[in-house]
Short mmCIF file of all heavy atoms in Angstrom, two decimals:
data_model
loop_
_atom_site.label_atom_id
_atom_site.label_comp_id
_atom_site.label_asym_id
_atom_site.label_seq_id
_atom_site.Cartn_x
_atom_site.Cartn_y
_atom_site.Cartn_z
N PHE P 6 -9.32 8.23 4.45
CA PHE P 6 -10.67 7.98 4.95
C PHE P 6 -11.63 8.98 4.32
O PHE P 6 -11.29 10.15 4.12
CB PHE P 6 -10.72 8.12 6.47
CG PHE P 6 -10.06 7.00 7.21
CD1 PHE P 6 -8.76 7.14 7.68
CD2 PHE P 6 -10.73 5.82 7.45
CE1 PHE P 6 -8.14 6.10 8.37
CE2 PHE P 6 -10.13 4.78 8.13
CZ PHE P 6 -8.83 4.92 8.59
N GLY P 7 -12.85 8.53 4.01
CA GLY P 7 -13.85 9.44 3.45
C GLY P 7 -15.13 8.71 3.12
O GLY P 7 -15.53 7.78 3.82
N GLY P 8 -15.79 9.16 2.05
CA GLY P 8 -17.10 8.62 1.68
C GLY P 8 -18.20 9.50 2.21
O GLY P 8 -18.01 10.27 3.16
N SER P 9 -19.38 9.41 1.61
CA SER P 9 -20.51 10.25 2.01
C SER P 9 -20.87 10.08 3.47
O SER P 9 -21.28 11.03 4.15
CB SER P 9 -21.73 9.93 1.14
OG SER P 9 -21.50 10.29 -0.20
N SER P 10 -20.71 8.86 3.99
CA SER P 10 -21.02 8.58 5.40
C SER P 10 -19.76 8.50 6.25
O SER P 10 -19.84 8.15 7.44
CB SER P 10 -21.80 7.27 5.51
OG SER P 10 -22.99 7.31 4.75
N GLY P 11 -18.60 8.79 5.65
CA GLY P 11 -17.35 8.71 6.38
C GLY P 11 -16.93 7.30 6.72
O GLY P 11 -16.10 7.09 7.62
N ASN P 12 -17.48 6.33 6.02
CA ASN P 12 -17.24 4.93 6.36
C ASN P 12 -16.22 4.22 5.48
O ASN P 12 -15.96 3.05 5.66
CB ASN P 12 -18.56 4.15 6.28
CG ASN P 12 -19.11 4.13 4.86
OD1 ASN P 12 -19.30 5.18 4.25
ND2 ASN P 12 -19.38 2.95 4.32
N LEU P 13 -15.65 4.94 4.51
CA LEU P 13 -14.77 4.28 3.55
C LEU P 13 -13.30 4.50 3.88
O LEU P 13 -12.88 5.58 4.30
CB LEU P 13 -15.05 4.78 2.14
CG LEU P 13 -16.41 4.42 1.54
CD1 LEU P 13 -16.54 5.01 0.14
CD2 LEU P 13 -16.61 2.90 1.51
N LEU P 14 -12.52 3.46 3.66
CA LEU P 14 -11.06 3.53 3.69
C LEU P 14 -10.58 3.16 2.30
O LEU P 14 -10.86 2.06 1.81
CB LEU P 14 -10.49 2.56 4.73
CG LEU P 14 -8.97 2.34 4.68
CD1 LEU P 14 -8.23 3.63 4.96
CD2 LEU P 14 -8.55 1.26 5.67
N TRP P 25 -12.54 -0.24 1.43
CA TRP P 25 -13.16 -1.04 2.47
C TRP P 25 -14.19 -0.20 3.22
O TRP P 25 -14.08 1.03 3.28
CB TRP P 25 -12.13 -1.51 3.50
CG TRP P 25 -11.13 -2.50 3.01
CD1 TRP P 25 -11.20 -3.86 3.07
CD2 TRP P 25 -9.85 -2.21 2.43
NE1 TRP P 25 -10.07 -4.44 2.55
CE2 TRP P 25 -9.22 -3.44 2.15
CE3 TRP P 25 -9.18 -1.02 2.11
CZ2 TRP P 25 -7.96 -3.52 1.58
CZ3 TRP P 25 -7.94 -1.10 1.53
CH2 TRP P 25 -7.33 -2.34 1.26
N ASP P 26 -15.15 -0.86 3.81
CA ASP P 26 -16.01 -0.24 4.82
C ASP P 26 -15.36 -0.55 6.15
O ASP P 26 -15.38 -1.69 6.61
CB ASP P 26 -17.42 -0.82 4.75
CG ASP P 26 -18.40 -0.08 5.67
OD1 ASP P 26 -17.95 0.44 6.71
OD2 ASP P 26 -19.60 -0.05 5.35
N TRP P 27 -14.74 0.47 6.76
CA TRP P 27 -13.95 0.21 7.96
C TRP P 27 -14.80 -0.20 9.15
O TRP P 27 -14.29 -0.75 10.14
CB TRP P 27 -13.09 1.42 8.32
CG TRP P 27 -13.86 2.68 8.64
CD1 TRP P 27 -14.13 3.71 7.80
CD2 TRP P 27 -14.43 3.04 9.90
NE1 TRP P 27 -14.84 4.68 8.44
CE2 TRP P 27 -15.05 4.30 9.74
CE3 TRP P 27 -14.50 2.42 11.15
CZ2 TRP P 27 -15.71 4.96 10.76
CZ3 TRP P 27 -15.17 3.08 12.18
CH2 TRP P 27 -15.76 4.32 11.98
N ARG P 28 -16.14 0.01 9.08
CA ARG P 28 -17.00 -0.35 10.21
C ARG P 28 -17.11 -1.87 10.37
O ARG P 28 -17.24 -2.37 11.49
CB ARG P 28 -18.39 0.25 10.02
CG ARG P 28 -18.38 1.78 9.99
CD ARG P 28 -19.74 2.33 9.60
NE ARG P 28 -20.14 1.89 8.26
CZ ARG P 28 -21.26 2.30 7.65
NH1 ARG P 28 -22.06 3.16 8.25
NH2 ARG P 28 -21.55 1.84 6.44
N ASN P 29 -17.05 -2.59 9.25
CA ASN P 29 -17.13 -4.05 9.34
C ASN P 29 -15.92 -4.75 8.71
O ASN P 29 -15.89 -5.97 8.59
CB ASN P 29 -18.41 -4.56 8.67
CG ASN P 29 -18.55 -4.08 7.23
OD1 ASN P 29 -17.55 -3.78 6.56
ND2 ASN P 29 -19.78 -4.00 6.74
N VAL P 33 -15.17 -3.39 -0.27
CA VAL P 33 -16.37 -3.10 -1.06
C VAL P 33 -16.05 -2.88 -2.53
O VAL P 33 -16.95 -2.90 -3.37
CB VAL P 33 -17.10 -1.85 -0.50
CG1 VAL P 33 -17.61 -2.13 0.91
CG2 VAL P 33 -16.19 -0.62 -0.50
N THR P 71 -17.86 7.41 -5.18
CA THR P 71 -17.85 6.24 -4.30
C THR P 71 -19.21 5.95 -3.68
O THR P 71 -19.32 5.15 -2.75
CB THR P 71 -16.80 6.41 -3.19
OG1 THR P 71 -17.13 7.57 -2.40
CG2 THR P 71 -15.42 6.57 -3.77
#
Side-chain angles (χ1 to χ4, degrees):
F6 287 98
S9 294
S10 302
N12 63 305
L13 293 179
L14 169 63
W25 292 268
D26 187 331
W27 62 263
R28 298 172 299 184
N29 55 26
V33 296
T71 61

